[in-house]
Amino acid sequence: MDEASFLAGYNPRDYPAVAVTVDVVALTIRDGKLCVLLVERGQSPFAGHRALPGGFVREEALDEAALRELAEETGLTPGDGNQLDRVHLEQLKTYGDPDRDPRMRVVSVAYLAFAPHLPEPTAGSDAAGAYWVPVDEAKDLAFDHDQVLAEGLERARDKLEYTPLATAFVGTEFTISELRQVYTTVWGEELHAGNFHRKVLSVPGFVESTGETSARGGERGGPKARLYRAGDARLLHPALLRPTREDRVR
């Protein structure tokens, strides 16, 4: 049988139905805290429960579906010069346990979205509300979203170890102290100022000096801090390990 004949006689109803959704772990820093975007579900199942934004995939690519869901909850649209074009978006993991959704067999492709200064969210048509929540307060979510969020957080924290993603969360010119605050917020760990400063400057291409200094003195007074800009590195080598991970390596 040639392929055309095979396809003409192929009936997809001969196989179990499976739906595909996307879920988005959208992270940003607000008021010095790492926050995740959550929606309040307006429909069953789990009506009234908090969940990650997401929905069924339409006639679109998976990446497009994730961006659409994110845009619906943030009010941003791609291509108009706003922050959505600056969002770091990457596929996180596929979740397909048979009982993860009580309606039917649903496979979800989860995405990590990471960007600075995202605005107040606006709930999409199928949500009763949407809001930024500090990650340590985001618990008891619908479906398997507690697991999805935990693994998204771990991926985001890993990204700061081996990529210069943290420089997207400071201004075009910044002090090492400001950069350290991003790491402290995302990792949830206090960092030794001197050790962090030394490590950042030891990574080729991570940051480069502007030759200028800040308008004000350092955290505890004293001389004005030097200003830096993002370098051209795409990967950090050596990586900046979290203190807890450094302890395990030792």
Side-chain angles (χ1 to χ4, degrees):
M1 180 183 297
D2 60 25
E3 186 166 346
S5 299
F6 168 78
L7 292 175
Y10 182 82
N11 186 357
R13 294 184 178 84
D14 291 340
Y15 301 91
V18 177
V20 179
T21 63
V22 291
D23 291 309
V24 182
V25 180
L27 301 174
T28 194
I29 296 176
R30 296 173 66 86
D31 300 323
K33 294 183 179 180
L34 182 63
C35 295
V36 61
L37 178 61
L38 296 181
V39 299
E40 180 183 339
R41 288 185 56 80
Q43 303 172 2
S44 293
F46 299 104
H49 285 70
R50 299 190 301 181
L52 298 170
F56 289 96
V57 177
R58 303 172 184 171
E59 295 295 326
E60 59 195 343
L62 291 171
D63 289 7
E64 293 172 349
L67 279 173
R68 172 177 54 77
E69 290 293 341
L70 181 59
E72 288 179 0
E73 308 300 347
T74 61
L76 299 177
T77 54
D80 63 359
N82 60 35
Q83 293 97 329
L84 191 59
D85 296 320
R86 297 179 57 197
V87 172
H88 172 86
L89 183 75
E90 66 178 69
Q91 212 173 99
L92 173 63
K93 186 177 177 180
T94 300
Y95 297 84
D97 287 351
D99 300 325
R100 64 177 302 276
D101 192 309
R103 292 168 292 189
M104 62 181 296
R105 182 71 188 271
V106 176
V107 174
S108 180
V109 181
Y111 279 79
L112 172 65
F114 205 11
H117 311 306
L118 290 175
E120 290 295 334
T122 55
S125 58
D126 58 348
Y131 28 78
W132 292 105
V133 177
V135 294
D136 56 359
E137 299 175 14
K139 301 175 182 177
D140 301 321
L141 305 181
F143 305 104
D144 53 0
H145 289 184
D146 285 318
Q147 178 187 355
V148 178
L149 173 58
E151 294 181 352
L153 282 171
E154 188 63 19
R155 173 74 66 83
R157 288 164 175 158
D158 283 348
K159 297 289 288 189
L160 263 63
E161 290 189 339
Y162 63 87
T163 77
L165 183 60
T167 58
F169 290 80
V170 289
T172 54
E173 295 184 351
F174 52 87
T175 66
I176 299 297
S177 176
E178 291 169 337
L179 187 65
R180 187 179 80 250
Q181 187 57 48
V182 174
Y183 277 86
T184 298
T185 301
V186 176
W187 283 350
E189 300 184 34
E190 288 299 325
L191 305 176
H192 185 278
N195 287 345
F196 180 81
H197 193 283
R198 174 180 52 80
K199 290 176 181 178
V200 167
L201 296 186
S202 70
V203 179
F206 186 9
V207 299
E208 57 184 36
S209 175
T210 66
E212 305 293 333
T213 58
S214 60
R216 296 183 296 177
E219 297 176 11
R220 302 178 182 178
K224 296 177 180 178
R226 293 181 179 178
L227 290 174
Y228 295 84
R229 64 172 69 92
D232 58 4
R234 294 295 176 263
L235 293 174
L236 305 185
H237 183 74
L240 273 68
L241 299 181
R242 284 169 270 179
T244 50
R245 182 168 292 183
E246 281 188 327
D247 292 341
R248 292 197 298 269
V249 171
R250 291 171 189 162

